[in-house]
Amino acid sequence: MRPTWDLFCNVIDNYGDIGVAWRLARGLAREHKLIVRLWVDDLRAFQRIWPAVDPDAVTQRCADVEVRAWCAPFAEVTPAQVVIEAFGCALPESYLDAMARQSPPPLWINLEYLSAESWVAEHHGLPSPHPRLPLTKYFFFPGYTPNTGGLLIERDLSACRDTFRQDSAASFWRQLGLGAPTPDELRVSLFAYENPALPALLDAWAADTRPLTCLVPEGRVIPQLAAWRGVADWQAGDVYQRGALRLHVLPFSDQDTYDRLLWACDLNFVRGEDSCVRAQAAARPLVWQAYPQAGRAHWDKLDALRARYVEGLPREAAQAVGDLWRCWNGLPDAPPMGPSWAAWRAQQGTIEAHARGWAVHLGTVGRLTDKLVDFAENKLK
Ligand code: TRH
Protein backbone atom coordinates (compact mmCIF):
# COMPACT_ATOMS: atom_id res chain seq x y z
CA MET A 1 0.00 0.00 0.00
CA ARG A 2 1.31 3.47 -0.87
CA PRO A 3 1.54 5.62 2.27
CA THR A 4 -0.78 8.60 2.52
CA TRP A 5 0.52 12.12 3.18
CA ASP A 6 -1.28 15.20 4.52
CA LEU A 7 0.35 18.60 4.00
CA PHE A 8 -0.88 21.69 5.83
CA CYS A 9 -0.26 25.21 4.56
CA ASN A 10 -1.25 28.44 6.23
CA VAL A 11 -0.69 31.33 3.82
CA ILE A 12 0.78 34.20 5.85
CA ASP A 13 1.82 36.66 3.18
CA ASN A 14 3.39 36.63 -0.27
CA TYR A 15 3.58 33.36 -2.21
CA GLY A 16 6.40 31.47 -0.53
CA ASP A 17 4.32 29.35 1.87
CA ILE A 18 1.92 28.13 -0.78
CA GLY A 19 4.66 28.09 -3.42
CA VAL A 20 6.76 25.61 -1.45
CA ALA A 21 3.78 23.58 -0.18
CA TRP A 22 2.34 23.20 -3.68
CA ARG A 23 5.66 22.32 -5.30
CA LEU A 24 6.30 19.76 -2.59
CA ALA A 25 2.81 18.24 -2.85
CA ARG A 26 3.14 17.97 -6.62
CA GLY A 27 6.60 16.45 -6.34
CA LEU A 28 5.56 13.81 -3.81
CA ALA A 29 2.55 12.80 -5.92
CA ARG A 30 4.27 12.87 -9.30
CA GLU A 31 7.73 11.56 -8.54
CA HIS A 32 7.00 9.21 -5.65
CA LYS A 33 3.43 8.23 -6.60
CA LEU A 34 2.24 9.00 -3.08
CA ILE A 35 -1.35 9.75 -2.11
CA VAL A 36 -1.16 13.40 -1.17
CA ARG A 37 -3.77 15.67 0.36
CA LEU A 38 -2.94 19.38 0.61
CA TRP A 39 -4.83 21.56 3.11
CA VAL A 40 -4.69 25.27 2.29
CA ASP A 41 -6.34 28.09 4.24
CA ASP A 42 -6.21 30.63 1.37
CA LEU A 43 -7.20 29.16 -1.96
CA ARG A 44 -7.23 32.60 -3.62
CA ALA A 45 -3.51 33.05 -2.98
CA PHE A 46 -3.03 29.49 -4.23
CA GLN A 47 -4.94 30.34 -7.43
CA ARG A 48 -2.42 33.12 -8.21
CA ILE A 49 0.40 30.60 -8.62
CA TRP A 50 -1.82 27.83 -10.01
CA PRO A 51 -4.81 29.26 -11.94
CA ALA A 52 -6.54 25.86 -12.27
CA VAL A 53 -7.38 26.02 -8.54
CA ASP A 54 -11.05 26.76 -7.82
CA PRO A 55 -10.97 29.13 -4.83
CA ASP A 56 -14.49 28.12 -3.75
CA ALA A 57 -14.11 24.33 -3.87
CA VAL A 58 -13.92 22.51 -0.55
CA THR A 59 -12.34 19.51 -2.28
CA GLN A 60 -10.72 19.34 -5.71
CA ARG A 61 -8.00 17.46 -7.57
CA CYS A 62 -5.08 19.34 -9.12
CA ALA A 63 -2.04 17.69 -10.69
CA ASP A 64 -2.57 14.34 -8.88
CA VAL A 65 -3.02 16.06 -5.52
CA GLU A 66 -6.24 16.23 -3.53
CA VAL A 67 -6.58 19.88 -2.53
CA ARG A 68 -8.76 20.60 0.50
CA ALA A 69 -9.91 23.94 1.86
CA TRP A 70 -8.61 24.28 5.45
CA CYS A 71 -11.63 25.82 7.17
CA ALA A 72 -12.91 26.12 10.73
CA PRO A 73 -14.36 23.99 12.18
CA PHE A 74 -11.93 21.49 10.72
CA ALA A 75 -13.34 18.56 8.73
CA GLU A 76 -13.51 15.19 10.52
CA VAL A 77 -10.99 13.07 8.64
CA THR A 78 -8.70 10.14 9.28
CA PRO A 79 -5.16 11.54 9.42
CA ALA A 80 -2.66 10.40 6.82
CA GLN A 81 0.35 8.21 7.73
CA VAL A 82 2.71 11.14 7.23
CA VAL A 83 1.66 14.65 8.27
CA ILE A 84 3.64 17.71 7.19
CA GLU A 85 3.05 21.01 8.86
CA ALA A 86 4.58 23.68 6.62
CA PHE A 87 6.54 26.38 8.47
CA GLY A 88 5.08 25.75 11.93
CA CYS A 89 1.53 26.45 10.79
CA ALA A 90 -0.05 24.72 13.87
CA LEU A 91 -2.34 21.82 13.04
CA PRO A 92 -6.04 21.99 14.00
CA GLU A 93 -6.60 20.66 17.56
CA SER A 94 -9.22 18.15 16.40
CA TYR A 95 -6.80 16.78 13.81
CA LEU A 96 -4.03 16.48 16.41
CA ASP A 97 -6.39 14.55 18.69
CA ALA A 98 -7.28 12.27 15.78
CA MET A 99 -3.54 11.73 15.12
CA ALA A 100 -3.04 10.72 18.74
CA ARG A 101 -5.84 8.14 18.46
CA GLN A 102 -4.15 6.42 15.49
CA SER A 103 -2.10 3.29 16.16
CA PRO A 104 0.69 3.62 15.23
CA PRO A 105 0.48 7.43 15.26
CA PRO A 106 1.34 9.25 12.03
CA LEU A 107 4.84 10.55 11.42
CA TRP A 108 4.61 14.28 12.11
CA ILE A 109 7.08 16.59 10.38
CA ASN A 110 7.45 20.33 10.62
CA LEU A 111 8.94 21.62 7.39
CA GLU A 112 11.15 24.62 8.14
CA TYR A 113 12.32 27.54 5.98
CA LEU A 114 15.34 27.05 3.77
CA SER A 115 18.61 28.57 4.89
CA ALA A 116 22.28 28.20 3.92
CA GLU A 117 23.39 28.90 7.52
CA SER A 118 25.58 26.21 9.08
CA TRP A 119 23.35 25.67 12.16
CA VAL A 120 20.68 24.16 9.90
CA ALA A 121 22.48 20.82 9.66
CA GLU A 122 22.69 20.54 13.48
CA HIS A 123 18.94 21.08 13.87
CA HIS A 124 17.78 19.00 10.93
CA GLY A 125 15.75 15.94 11.97
CA LEU A 126 15.53 16.77 15.68
CA PRO A 127 12.46 15.45 17.54
CA SER A 128 10.16 17.40 19.85
CA PRO A 129 7.58 15.51 21.97
CA HIS A 130 4.09 17.02 22.18
CA PRO A 131 3.50 18.35 25.74
CA ARG A 132 0.15 16.59 26.15
CA LEU A 133 -0.39 13.98 23.44
CA PRO A 134 1.64 10.83 22.67
CA LEU A 135 3.05 12.40 19.50
CA THR A 136 6.50 13.49 18.37
CA LYS A 137 7.15 16.24 15.86
CA TYR A 138 10.34 16.19 13.78
CA PHE A 139 11.96 19.35 12.43
CA PHE A 140 12.94 19.06 8.80
CA PHE A 141 15.31 21.72 7.50
CA PRO A 142 15.89 22.16 3.77
CA GLY A 143 19.44 23.29 3.12
CA TYR A 144 22.45 23.44 0.87
CA THR A 145 24.50 20.52 2.19
CA PRO A 146 23.90 16.75 2.05
CA ASN A 147 23.37 16.58 5.85
CA THR A 148 20.25 18.81 5.61
CA GLY A 149 16.82 18.24 4.08
CA GLY A 150 18.09 19.29 0.65
CA LEU A 151 16.41 21.38 -2.02
CA LEU A 152 13.01 21.41 -3.69
CA ILE A 153 14.16 20.64 -7.22
CA GLU A 154 12.47 18.14 -9.53
CA ARG A 155 14.37 15.12 -10.79
CA ASP A 156 13.85 16.16 -14.43
CA LEU A 157 14.33 19.91 -13.97
CA SER A 158 17.67 20.23 -15.76
CA ALA A 159 16.44 18.14 -18.70
CA CYS A 160 13.25 20.23 -19.01
CA ARG A 161 15.26 23.45 -18.74
CA ASP A 162 17.74 22.44 -21.43
CA THR A 163 15.02 21.21 -23.79
CA PHE A 164 13.14 24.47 -23.28
CA ARG A 165 16.23 26.51 -24.11
CA GLN A 166 16.87 24.52 -27.23
CA ASP A 167 13.34 24.21 -28.57
CA SER A 168 10.93 26.67 -27.01
CA ALA A 169 12.70 29.85 -25.86
CA ALA A 170 11.93 31.72 -29.11
CA SER A 171 8.21 30.91 -28.95
CA PHE A 172 8.18 31.79 -25.25
CA TRP A 173 9.51 35.28 -26.05
CA ARG A 174 6.88 35.62 -28.78
CA GLN A 175 4.12 34.71 -26.29
CA LEU A 176 5.36 37.56 -24.11
CA GLY A 177 5.19 39.91 -27.09
CA LEU A 178 8.98 40.14 -27.50
CA GLY A 179 11.26 39.06 -30.31
CA ALA A 180 14.44 37.05 -29.81
CA PRO A 181 17.08 39.01 -27.86
CA THR A 182 19.68 40.89 -29.93
CA PRO A 183 23.26 39.54 -29.52
CA ASP A 184 24.36 42.28 -27.09
CA GLU A 185 21.07 42.52 -25.19
CA LEU A 186 20.68 41.42 -21.58
CA ARG A 187 17.29 40.06 -20.50
CA VAL A 188 16.60 40.32 -16.80
CA SER A 189 13.62 39.21 -14.72
CA LEU A 190 12.80 41.19 -11.59
CA PHE A 191 10.77 39.65 -8.74
CA ALA A 192 11.31 41.74 -5.64
CA TYR A 193 9.94 43.30 -2.47
CA GLU A 194 9.80 47.09 -2.24
CA ASN A 195 13.45 48.10 -2.26
CA PRO A 196 15.14 51.47 -1.69
CA ALA A 197 17.95 50.33 -4.01
CA LEU A 198 15.59 49.93 -6.99
CA PRO A 199 15.67 53.48 -8.45
CA ALA A 200 19.49 53.45 -8.50
CA LEU A 201 19.46 50.05 -10.20
CA LEU A 202 17.04 51.31 -12.87
CA ASP A 203 19.25 54.39 -13.37
CA ALA A 204 22.31 52.15 -13.80
CA TRP A 205 20.46 49.99 -16.33
CA ALA A 206 19.22 53.05 -18.26
CA ALA A 207 22.84 54.26 -18.44
CA ASP A 208 24.24 50.86 -19.53
CA THR A 209 26.20 50.79 -22.78
CA ARG A 210 24.23 47.77 -24.07
CA PRO A 211 20.46 47.22 -24.33
CA LEU A 212 18.82 45.74 -21.27
CA THR A 213 15.26 44.42 -21.15
CA CYS A 214 13.75 43.99 -17.71
CA LEU A 215 10.66 41.82 -17.24
CA VAL A 216 8.71 42.43 -14.08
CA PRO A 217 5.86 40.15 -12.98
CA GLU A 218 3.03 42.20 -11.45
CA GLY A 219 3.44 42.58 -7.71
CA ARG A 220 4.78 44.61 -4.82
CA VAL A 221 7.44 46.46 -6.77
CA ILE A 222 5.10 48.04 -9.34
CA PRO A 223 4.35 51.28 -7.40
CA GLN A 224 8.10 51.93 -7.14
CA LEU A 225 8.56 51.33 -10.85
CA ALA A 226 5.68 53.66 -11.65
CA ALA A 227 7.15 56.36 -9.40
CA TRP A 228 10.54 56.05 -11.14
CA ARG A 229 8.81 56.44 -14.49
CA GLY A 230 6.65 59.33 -13.16
CA VAL A 231 3.22 57.73 -13.63
CA ALA A 232 0.53 56.83 -11.12
CA ASP A 233 0.10 53.17 -12.06
CA TRP A 234 1.52 50.52 -14.34
CA GLN A 235 -0.48 47.63 -15.79
CA ALA A 236 0.75 44.33 -17.21
CA GLY A 237 1.45 44.68 -20.92
CA ASP A 238 2.70 48.26 -20.64
CA VAL A 239 6.24 48.92 -21.92
CA TYR A 240 8.54 51.86 -21.16
CA GLN A 241 11.99 52.76 -22.48
CA ARG A 242 14.60 55.04 -20.92
CA GLY A 243 18.13 55.02 -22.30
CA ALA A 244 19.35 51.44 -22.68
CA LEU A 245 16.56 50.09 -20.46
CA ARG A 246 13.26 48.70 -21.70
CA LEU A 247 10.84 47.77 -18.93
CA HIS A 248 7.97 45.32 -19.43
CA VAL A 249 5.41 44.52 -16.78
CA LEU A 250 4.14 40.95 -17.14
CA PRO A 251 1.05 39.32 -15.69
CA PHE A 252 1.82 37.14 -12.66
CA SER A 253 2.06 33.64 -14.14
CA ASP A 254 1.63 30.08 -12.89
CA GLN A 255 4.66 28.43 -11.25
CA ASP A 256 5.73 26.50 -14.34
CA THR A 257 5.59 29.54 -16.63
CA TYR A 258 7.61 31.50 -14.09
CA ASP A 259 10.27 28.78 -14.27
CA ARG A 260 10.39 29.27 -18.03
CA LEU A 261 10.88 33.01 -17.56
CA LEU A 262 13.86 32.26 -15.29
CA TRP A 263 15.27 29.82 -17.84
CA ALA A 264 14.83 32.32 -20.68
CA CYS A 265 16.45 35.32 -18.96
CA ASP A 266 20.20 35.98 -18.68
CA LEU A 267 19.95 37.28 -15.12
CA ASN A 268 17.19 36.84 -12.53
CA PHE A 269 16.42 39.00 -9.52
CA VAL A 270 14.53 36.78 -7.08
CA ARG A 271 13.31 36.99 -3.51
CA GLY A 272 12.34 34.88 -0.52
CA GLU A 273 12.88 31.19 -0.82
CA ASP A 274 11.33 29.24 -3.66
CA SER A 275 12.13 31.65 -6.52
CA CYS A 276 15.72 31.81 -5.23
CA VAL A 277 16.16 28.04 -5.58
CA ARG A 278 14.48 28.08 -8.98
CA ALA A 279 16.84 30.82 -10.19
CA GLN A 280 19.87 28.83 -9.00
CA ALA A 281 18.56 25.75 -10.78
CA ALA A 282 18.07 27.85 -13.92
CA ALA A 283 21.87 27.81 -14.26
CA ARG A 284 21.98 31.54 -14.90
CA PRO A 285 23.26 34.34 -12.63
CA LEU A 286 20.91 35.60 -9.95
CA VAL A 287 20.61 38.41 -7.45
CA TRP A 288 18.78 37.41 -4.31
CA GLN A 289 16.67 39.64 -2.07
CA ALA A 290 16.20 37.88 1.28
CA TYR A 291 12.77 38.10 2.94
CA PRO A 292 13.11 41.04 5.36
CA GLN A 293 13.04 39.89 8.99
CA ALA A 294 13.02 41.66 12.34
CA GLY A 295 16.46 42.43 13.77
CA ARG A 296 18.02 42.14 10.29
CA ALA A 297 18.20 38.35 10.69
CA HIS A 298 17.89 38.12 6.91
CA TRP A 299 21.32 39.70 6.48
CA ASP A 300 22.88 36.61 8.09
CA LYS A 301 20.83 34.42 5.78
CA LEU A 302 21.97 36.47 2.82
CA ASP A 303 25.62 36.31 3.78
CA ALA A 304 25.42 32.56 4.39
CA LEU A 305 24.13 31.85 0.88
CA ARG A 306 26.40 34.44 -0.69
CA ALA A 307 29.45 32.84 0.93
CA ARG A 308 28.50 29.36 -0.31
CA TYR A 309 27.51 30.60 -3.75
CA VAL A 310 30.73 32.47 -4.55
CA GLU A 311 33.01 29.60 -3.47
CA GLY A 312 35.31 28.77 -6.36
CA LEU A 313 34.77 32.08 -8.17
CA PRO A 314 37.91 34.13 -8.88
CA ARG A 315 38.29 36.91 -6.30
CA GLU A 316 37.10 39.83 -8.45
CA ALA A 317 34.01 38.01 -9.69
CA ALA A 318 33.19 36.82 -6.14
CA GLN A 319 33.49 40.41 -4.96
CA ALA A 320 31.23 41.65 -7.78
CA VAL A 321 28.52 39.09 -6.97
CA GLY A 322 28.77 39.77 -3.24
CA ASP A 323 28.68 43.54 -3.65
CA LEU A 324 25.62 43.49 -5.89
CA TRP A 325 23.73 41.11 -3.57
CA ARG A 326 24.65 43.14 -0.51
CA CYS A 327 23.84 46.47 -2.15
CA TRP A 328 20.44 45.11 -3.29
CA ASN A 329 19.71 44.04 0.30
CA GLY A 330 20.72 47.37 1.81
CA LEU A 331 23.76 46.22 3.77
CA PRO A 332 25.42 49.35 5.12
CA ASP A 333 28.96 48.44 4.04
CA ALA A 334 28.01 47.64 0.42
CA PRO A 335 29.25 49.94 -2.35
CA PRO A 336 26.64 52.09 -4.15
CA MET A 337 24.53 50.60 -6.92
CA GLY A 338 26.22 52.30 -9.90
CA PRO A 339 29.72 50.85 -9.26
CA SER A 340 28.22 47.53 -8.08
CA TRP A 341 26.37 47.10 -11.34
CA ALA A 342 29.41 48.16 -13.41
CA ALA A 343 31.60 45.63 -11.56
CA TRP A 344 29.04 42.85 -12.08
CA ARG A 345 28.88 43.71 -15.80
CA ALA A 346 32.68 43.55 -16.06
CA GLN A 347 32.64 40.03 -14.57
CA GLN A 348 29.50 38.81 -16.33
CA GLY A 349 31.09 36.04 -18.41
CA THR A 350 32.85 34.49 -15.41
CA ILE A 351 29.70 34.74 -13.31
CA GLU A 352 27.66 33.04 -16.06
CA ALA A 353 30.07 30.12 -16.24
CA HIS A 354 29.96 29.82 -12.46
CA ALA A 355 26.14 29.77 -12.47
CA ARG A 356 26.20 26.74 -14.79
CA GLY A 357 28.59 24.91 -12.48
CA TRP A 358 26.57 25.87 -9.39
CA ALA A 359 23.41 24.36 -10.88
CA VAL A 360 25.28 21.07 -11.37
CA HIS A 361 26.61 21.29 -7.81
CA LEU A 362 23.04 21.61 -6.47
CA GLY A 363 22.43 18.07 -7.70
CA THR A 364 24.94 16.79 -5.12
CA VAL A 365 23.02 18.30 -2.19
CA GLY A 366 20.02 15.97 -2.46
CA ARG A 367 16.37 16.62 -3.17
CA LEU A 368 13.82 17.54 -0.52
CA THR A 369 11.17 15.10 -1.78
CA ASP A 370 13.60 12.14 -1.81
CA LYS A 371 14.88 13.02 1.63
CA LEU A 372 11.39 13.34 3.09
CA VAL A 373 10.38 9.98 1.61
CA ASP A 374 13.55 8.30 2.98
CA PHE A 375 13.00 9.87 6.39
CA ALA A 376 9.38 8.69 6.44
CA GLU A 377 10.32 5.16 5.34
CA ASN A 378 12.89 4.89 8.14
CA LYS A 379 10.59 6.24 10.82
CA LEU A 380 7.56 4.20 9.78
CA LYS A 381 9.48 0.90 9.59
O1 TRH B 1 6.55 35.32 -2.36
P1 TRH B 1 7.82 35.22 -1.60
O2 TRH B 1 8.39 36.50 -1.17
O3 TRH B 1 7.59 34.31 -0.36
C1 TRH B 1 8.07 34.57 0.95
C2 TRH B 1 9.30 33.74 1.23
O4 TRH B 1 9.16 32.39 0.94
C3 TRH B 1 9.69 33.88 2.67
O5 TRH B 1 10.78 33.04 2.96
C4 TRH B 1 8.51 33.56 3.54
O6 TRH B 1 8.84 33.72 4.84
C5 TRH B 1 7.36 34.48 3.19
O7 TRH B 1 7.02 34.30 1.83
C6 TRH B 1 6.14 34.23 4.03
O8 TRH B 1 8.95 34.49 -2.47
P2 TRH B 1 9.15 32.97 -2.91
O9 TRH B 1 9.53 32.12 -1.76
O10 TRH B 1 10.09 33.00 -4.03
O11 TRH B 1 7.75 32.49 -3.45
C7 TRH B 1 7.19 32.97 -4.63
C8 TRH B 1 6.39 31.88 -5.32
O12 TRH B 1 5.61 32.46 -6.35
C9 TRH B 1 7.26 30.84 -5.97
O13 TRH B 1 6.71 29.55 -5.79
C10 TRH B 1 7.23 31.20 -7.44
C11 TRH B 1 5.84 31.75 -7.56
N1 TRH B 1 5.62 32.67 -8.69
C12 TRH B 1 4.70 32.32 -9.65
O14 TRH B 1 4.09 31.23 -9.59
N2 TRH B 1 4.46 33.18 -10.68
C13 TRH B 1 5.14 34.36 -10.81
O15 TRH B 1 4.87 35.12 -11.77
C14 TRH B 1 6.10 34.70 -9.81
C15 TRH B 1 6.85 35.99 -9.92
C16 TRH B 1 6.31 33.83 -8.77
Side-chain angles (χ1 to χ4, degrees):
M1 269 279 283
R2 288 182 294 162
T4 53
W5 290 54
D6 267 338
L7 251 104
F8 285 81
C9 175
N10 165 20
V11 178
I12 301 172
D13 62 357
N14 303 308
Y15 300 103
D17 308 295
I18 186 60
V20 168
W22 176 232
R23 201 181 291 291
L24 176 59
R26 281 203 279 161
L28 291 170
R30 185 171 80 98
E31 296 179 343
H32 292 274
K33 308 282 174 254
L34 297 165
I35 300 165
V36 182
R37 199 160 49 173
L38 173 64
W39 300 87
V40 183
D41 69 347
D42 183 349
L43 291 173
R44 281 183 202 280
F46 188 1
Q47 192 190 31
R48 292 274 284 156
I49 62 158
W50 203 254
V53 168
D54 175 353
D56 300 314
V58 176
T59 304
Q60 60 194 298
R61 278 201 82 76
C62 291
D64 295 332
V65 175
E66 182 183 339
V67 174
R68 302 283 297 256
W70 177 356
C71 327
F74 194 72
E76 265 183 46
V77 291
T78 305
Q81 285 153 292
V82 183
V83 178
I84 301 188
E85 170 182 319
F87 315 120
C89 66
L91 300 180
E93 281 300 317
S94 62
Y95 186 89
L96 271 176
D97 289 337
M99 279 167 69
R101 289 195 297 270
Q102 297 285 105
S103 180
L107 171 64
W108 179 15
I109 296 171
N110 182 49
L111 178 68
E112 290 289 341
Y113 287 108
L114 168 67
S115 173
E117 289 161 293
S118 53
W119 58 263
V120 161
E122 291 146 39
H123 290 75
H124 173 58
L126 291 183
S128 163
H130 190 278
R132 182 173 55 87
L133 298 168
L135 293 170
T136 300
K137 170 155 82 174
Y138 292 89
F139 292 92
F140 211 89
F141 282 87
Y144 286 88
T145 51
N147 53 357
T148 65
L151 295 165
L152 194 42
I153 294 178
E154 296 77 21
R155 207 174 279 152
D156 58 357
L157 187 148
S158 54
C160 293
R161 180 198 65 207
D162 295 345
T163 307
F164 167 84
R165 284 204 181 125
Q166 218 178 329
D167 302 341
S168 315
S171 67
F172 180 76
W173 287 127
R174 274 198 300 281
Q175 281 160 29
L176 294 183
L178 287 99
T182 57
D184 60 346
E185 179 185 348
L186 192 74
R187 293 234 162 134
V188 184
S189 78
L190 178 72
F191 179 44
Y193 309 113
E194 300 79 358
N195 190 334
L198 180 59
L201 180 66
L202 299 172
D203 289 342
W205 285 347
D208 205 289
T209 52
R210 286 161 287 173
L212 193 150
T213 302
C214 175
L215 302 133
V216 191
E218 273 179 320
R220 288 172 57 169
V221 88
I222 299 299
Q224 262 199 297
L225 285 184
W228 181 79
R229 176 182 165 180
V231 293
D233 195 14
W234 198 331
Q235 303 291 330
D238 203 358
V239 182
Y240 173 72
Q241 176 107 29
R242 185 186 295 177
L245 171 62
R246 198 155 54 123
L247 269 166
H248 286 248
V249 173
L250 304 178
F252 201 86
S253 65
D254 66 84
Q255 261 187 343
D256 291 350
T257 306
Y258 179 59
D259 261 340
R260 291 192 274 276
L261 179 67
L262 298 173
W263 298 343
C265 284
D266 305 299
L267 166 65
N268 295 298
F269 279 65
V270 285
R271 71 181 205 194
E273 195 170 316
D274 191 49
S275 59
C276 180
V277 174
R278 308 310 287 182
Q280 293 171 57
R284 293 269 161 91
L286 73 149
V287 178
W288 180 42
Q289 185 180 19
Y291 179 71
Q293 284 175 285
R296 312 270 193 229
H298 58 294
W299 285 354
D300 292 338
K301 271 188 135 181
L302 180 90
D303 265 338
L305 180 59
R306 180 198 53 77
R308 281 191 202 284
Y309 185 77
V310 301
E311 251 175 60
L313 261 177
R315 199 182 53 81
E316 282 193 329
Q319 185 76 35
V321 169
D323 284 350
L324 188 55
W325 284 33
R326 290 161 66 86
C327 176
W328 187 235
N329 285 272
L331 270 77
D333 58 346
M337 185 52 86
S340 297
W341 176 249
W344 188 93
R345 264 304 219 182
Q347 297 296 327
Q348 188 183 328
T350 311
I351 296 168
E352 283 169 350
H354 180 74
R356 291 193 286 276
W358 178 259
V360 174
H361 161 76
L362 292 183
T364 64
V365 170
R367 296 170 349 94
L368 178 66
T369 43
D370 293 348
K371 291 191 175 222
L372 275 167
V373 168
D374 286 352
F375 188 79
E377 275 173 6
N378 282 328
K379 294 285 178 208
L380 292 173
K381 253 185 215 158

